[in-house]
């Protein structure tokens, strides 16, 4: 684990995370000064905001196209061919487009974005992604008035992805967002991590990342972005509708039938380090809670 100083990297983001953590413990705005946080919670806040190592981020993965155990994607994806690569933006738009990976890299500047990934299985990482807001890419097309949702589709290539030869999921991997969620500045097109090109096992050449939702919403190796009228059925909703809802916002108050969502294990920490409390919207509530005003988040899980 590389320990970062708060002053070093995107201090405002880390400060915000720390703030939401303080809030979740029930401290008022007046006790925001770090010195007033009791020692135990101070160390939890530190654990929560520490960057996960490059090794852990790139060897502990979920990518079922390359196998179902955590080490499979690293082992099986090294020869996956990510060039040439084209993404189609289509569906309920005035004029569909196809855009190559080269054009994407030339047109949009990727910046470092440090976000927490909270997996529905109950673990988390802090990842220094490289990327840009999806809204920028989406502004290349004009949606029709029918467009309400966006469906993301990962690549289908059973020749190269041997996991797709088994019906673990209904391939290709699909996910979806409401258009306002997709247009939110935190919703990121990821092109790299730790200042390097995105490793294959993390979704090269391009994946989506939505910081306030469980990790499975963030589809890897995207080839299609489709504007649609009806709420898309994601691969996980299709596999188990009782366990996976469309929204999948990180919510410590709504448990998955098999896993409590109240706490999480921080990947890379020693086994005796206690689990930390999971934060509503993964700690990004200040930015995104307004997307769900008036919604019963137990019903729309
Ligand atoms: N995308 C595709 N195409 N296939 C997958 O199996 N797994 C998801 C998500 N995106 C998955 C995917 C899950 S369950 C998680 S937790 C994250 O990717 C993991 O991202 P990481 O391996 O970069 O940490």
């Amino acid at each position: 684990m590389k320990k970062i100083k708060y002053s070093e990297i995107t201090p405002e983001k880390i400060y915000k995370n720390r703030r939401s953590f303080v809030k979740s413990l029930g401290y008022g705005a007046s006790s925001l000064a770090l010195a007033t946080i009791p020692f135990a919670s101070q160390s939890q806040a530190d654990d929560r905001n520490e960057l996960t190592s490059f090794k852990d981020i790139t060897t502990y993965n979920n990518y079922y196209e390359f196998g179902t155990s955590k080490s499979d994607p690293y082992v099986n994806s090294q020869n996956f061919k990510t060039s040439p690569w084209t993404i189609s933006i289509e569906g309920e738009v005035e004029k569909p487009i196809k855009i190559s990976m080269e054009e994407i890299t030339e047109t949009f500047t990727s910046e470092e974005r440090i976000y927490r990934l909270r997996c529905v299985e109950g673990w988390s990482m802090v990842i220094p992604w490289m990327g840009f807001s999806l809204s920028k890419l989406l502004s290349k097309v004009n949606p029709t008035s029918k467009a309400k949702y966006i469906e993301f589709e990962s690549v289908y290539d059973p020749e190269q992805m041997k996991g797709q030869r088994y019906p673990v999921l209904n391939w290709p991997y699909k996910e979806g967002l409401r258009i306002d969620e997709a247009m939110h500045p935190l919703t990121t097109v990821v092109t790299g991590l730790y200042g390097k090109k995105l490793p294959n096992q993390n979704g090269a050449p391009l994946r989506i990342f939505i910081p306030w939702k469980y990790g499975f919403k963030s589809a890897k190796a995207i080839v299609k972005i489709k504007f649609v009228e009806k709420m898309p059925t994601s691969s996980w909703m299709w596999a188990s509708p009782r366990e996976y809802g469309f929204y999948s916002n990180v919510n410590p108050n709504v448990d998955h039938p098999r896993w409590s969502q109240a706490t999480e294990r921080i990947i890379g920490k020693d086994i005796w380090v206690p689990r930390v409390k999971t934060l509503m919207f993964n700690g990004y509530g200040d930015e995104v809670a307004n997307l769900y005003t008036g919604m019963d988040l137990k019903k729309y899980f």
Side-chain angles (χ1 to χ4, degrees):
M1 282 285 213
K2 184 185 164 215
K3 185 116 184 169
I4 44 161
K5 281 211 213 92
Y6 292 106
S7 54
E8 256 171 36
I9 308 168
T10 56
E12 70 284 355
K13 181 92 265 150
I14 288 159
Y15 176 69
K16 269 185 198 152
N17 283 351
R18 185 181 280 267
R19 256 184 63 152
S20 359
F21 177 72
V22 173
K23 267 201 238 154
S24 79
L25 284 176
Y27 295 95
S30 58
S31 55
L32 270 179
L34 301 180
T36 64
I37 303 172
F39 181 72
S41 19
Q42 170 83 56
S43 78
Q44 271 218 340
D46 285 349
D47 289 347
R48 187 188 291 290
N49 292 318
E50 236 174 66
L51 284 189
T52 307
S53 71
F54 181 80
K55 181 156 186 265
D56 282 333
I57 296 171
T58 56
T59 55
Y60 189 91
N61 301 100
N62 276 333
Y63 199 168
Y64 281 21
E65 285 88 335
F66 291 109
T68 52
S69 72
K70 297 287 180 270
S71 54
D72 284 345
Y74 168 71
V75 174
N76 298 327
S77 72
Q78 295 313 312
N79 296 325
F80 178 60
K81 210 166 156 268
T82 56
S83 160
W85 196 273
T86 305
I87 290 160
S88 161
I89 309 183
E90 54 179 65
E92 289 296 342
V93 293
E94 279 168 16
K95 205 163 161 265
I97 60 161
K98 284 193 186 346
I99 181 165
S100 70
M101 199 53 211
E102 285 80 28
E103 197 183 335
I104 290 180
T105 348
E106 272 162 30
T107 317
F108 307 102
T109 315
S110 286
E111 71 212 6
E112 184 165 69
R113 297 182 157 207
I114 301 178
Y115 295 140
R116 309 182 69 249
L117 182 154
R118 169 62 161 83
C119 178
V120 73
E121 295 161 340
W123 50 265
S124 65
M125 298 189 185
V126 180
I127 304 178
W129 300 109
M130 299 294 298
F132 57 90
S133 291
L134 174 65
S135 61
K136 291 189 182 165
L137 179 58
L138 296 183
S139 69
K140 286 235 162 216
V141 295
N142 285 324
T144 70
S145 59
K146 281 189 183 162
K148 300 275 180 318
Y149 296 90
I150 298 203
E151 185 179 84
F152 301 94
E153 197 174 298
S154 299
V155 69
Y156 180 69
D157 188 349
E159 281 290 307
Q160 293 198 78
M161 300 174 134
K162 61 181 182 189
Q164 288 183 333
R165 298 176 205 163
Y166 308 91
V168 201
L169 289 171
N170 64 332
W171 310 112
Y173 195 96
K174 282 188 189 159
E175 261 307 335
L177 293 174
R178 238 171 35 196
I179 286 190
D180 57 344
E181 296 179 316
M183 294 301 286
H184 192 282
L186 286 183
T187 302
T188 302
V189 173
V190 170
T191 56
L193 60 84
Y194 265 109
K196 300 186 177 89
K197 236 176 74 192
L198 192 62
N200 287 349
Q201 60 272 30
N202 295 92
L206 180 145
R207 60 100 60 93
I208 303 296
F209 191 72
I210 310 125
W212 70 97
K213 293 181 182 273
Y214 293 114
F216 65 84
K217 294 297 282 182
S218 298
K220 298 178 172 182
I222 297 276
V223 287
K224 199 189 280 181
I225 298 178
K226 195 172 174 183
F227 285 75
V228 294
E229 189 176 357
K230 301 231 166 66
M231 182 184 281
T233 304
S234 68
S235 296
W236 289 106
M237 288 162 75
W238 181 88
S240 184
R242 199 174 65 89
E243 294 184 309
Y244 303 99
F246 175 78
Y247 285 94
S248 301
N249 293 319
V250 172
N251 187 344
N253 309 315
V254 177
D255 286 336
H256 180 279
R258 284 181 284 146
W259 302 294
S260 160
Q261 299 303 343
T263 62
E264 64 206 49
R265 177 171 68 92
I266 299 177
I267 296 298
K269 286 282 166 194
D270 289 322
I271 196 83
W272 58 82
V273 173
R275 295 169 70 90
V276 299
K277 279 190 183 168
T278 288
L279 303 180
M280 187 67 199
F281 298 117
N282 203 20
Y284 301 95
D286 285 356
E287 286 99 328
V288 302
N290 65 323
L291 293 174
Y292 310 101
T293 310
M295 277 175 71
D296 177 353
L297 297 178
K298 284 205 158 74
K299 186 170 168 210
Y300 298 101
F301 63 94

